[in-house]
Amino acid sequence: MAEIDVVRLRGALQDRYAKIDVVERTGSTNADLRKALEEGATDRTVLLAEEQTAGVGRRARPWSSPKGAGLYLSVALRPGVPFAALGSLSVVAGLAVRAAAASVGVDAGLKWPNDVLVGGAKCAGILAEAVAGAEPSIVLGIGLNVLPLGDVTPGPGGLPATSLAEQGATTTDRTDVAVALLTELADLEQRWRLAGGDLTEAGLLGDYRAHCTTLGQDVEVQLPDGTSLTGRAADIDAAGQLQVDMAGGQRHTVFAGDVVHVRPA
């Protein structure tokens, strides 16, 4: 399988990113760029790895990152938006992944808060991590399965893994897919940034709602404090939070949590 062509990446994306590197192997691209931001890394720094040995998703769950099978990348951003708005960047990233999948003929849906699904299986995950410092900064990690992974343990909710190749992608050239993904991300993030991190003002909230497969379904959401709630996924608000209508009629806003069990409404 062909390795990611960093020269081609840099040539295609030079107007959108300040720095792009590809490494053969690392523990976690997110961890690497968190450290880089703490040490003064510039805005729009990108790191891709052919293989991750300690890739993680939400709640430090392992993310399978076998050599050459996917895109394992992180982007360090200093967007100049209020700290409270950083969380909505996962919505922006989801839209970018979906658009990249569409560019190779794969119709993907978005499962709140950070999964990209095709045919009920997971093909991508997103992890946004704020970094403390004098100015709000964030590392946005994306893992996208391009080629089949083999046996992978299903994540929360029992979702099996899939890949663009298994879903009929018109190309599985990882450099081409990376260019498409990073181009979409740069353009959408720029809209989000110019709107001060406001999804509505950026014109992105309606797009996310239209492609969010969670909406309209009965859900069980596992919350960070270990409790859970059940109800109907009713809406996504302007901050990218999930609004769940409970059986008693009240609406609960979820800022962070895992949709661990989803049934059709």
Side-chain angles (χ1 to χ4, degrees):
M1 63 189 70
E3 293 190 344
I4 296 169
D5 186 338
V6 68
V7 174
R8 188 146 56 95
L9 271 184
R10 289 170 176 164
L13 299 165
Q14 61 183 339
D15 295 333
R16 290 180 167 89
Y17 293 96
K19 182 181 180 183
I20 301 174
D21 287 318
V22 178
V23 296
E24 188 70 21
R25 174 186 291 188
T26 191
S28 161
T29 56
N30 258 35
D32 292 346
L33 286 194
R34 284 201 314 270
K35 181 179 179 183
L37 276 174
E38 291 166 357
E39 296 173 349
T42 189
D43 179 33
R44 296 191 172 105
T45 291
V46 182
L47 178 65
L48 301 93
E50 288 286 350
E51 179 183 11
Q52 289 186 130
T53 59
V56 295
R58 288 175 58 82
R59 299 191 177 184
R61 298 187 185 97
W63 175 265
S64 181
S65 312
K67 181 177 175 60
L71 293 178
Y72 319 122
L73 66 90
S74 297
V75 183
L77 298 165
R78 300 182 185 276
V81 306
F83 185 84
L86 291 178
S88 64
L89 192 57
S90 290
V91 165
V92 180
L95 288 170
V97 175
R98 185 192 177 280
S103 75
V104 296
V106 176
D107 185 19
L110 303 171
K111 175 175 173 281
W112 189 92
N114 65 340
D115 293 339
V116 182
L117 309 183
V118 185
K122 181 173 176 177
C123 72
I126 296 158
L127 179 64
E129 298 182 286
V131 178
E135 61 177 322
S137 58
I138 190 166
V139 174
L140 182 65
I142 298 172
L144 172 60
N145 303 330
V146 179
L147 298 169
L149 301 183
D151 292 331
V152 176
T153 301
L159 290 173
T162 190
S163 65
L164 296 180
E166 292 166 283
Q167 298 297 330
T170 55
T171 181
T172 55
D173 181 309
R174 290 181 303 131
T175 303
D176 288 345
V177 178
V179 168
L181 172 56
L182 287 167
T183 298
E184 292 288 351
L185 179 61
D187 294 351
L188 294 175
E189 191 273 338
Q190 178 71 0
R191 286 169 56 184
W192 172 85
R193 179 182 297 215
L194 291 175
D198 186 310
L199 293 171
T200 305
E201 174 124 349
L204 300 175
L205 184 57
D207 289 346
Y208 188 85
R209 285 170 170 159
H211 298 297
C212 181
T213 61
T214 305
L215 293 180
Q217 299 202 28
D218 292 336
V219 298
E220 180 181 337
V221 185
Q222 187 178 46
L223 301 173
D225 64 3
T227 64
S228 63
L229 61 86
T230 58
R232 177 69 55 84
D235 201 3
I236 305 293
D237 70 13
Q241 301 172 127
L242 179 66
Q243 296 185 328
V244 179
D245 286 345
M246 312 291 284
Q250 70 273 36
R251 175 165 288 190
H252 190 99
T253 298
V254 181
F255 174 72
D258 292 315
V259 178
V260 296
H261 189 66
V262 181
R263 299 175 185 166

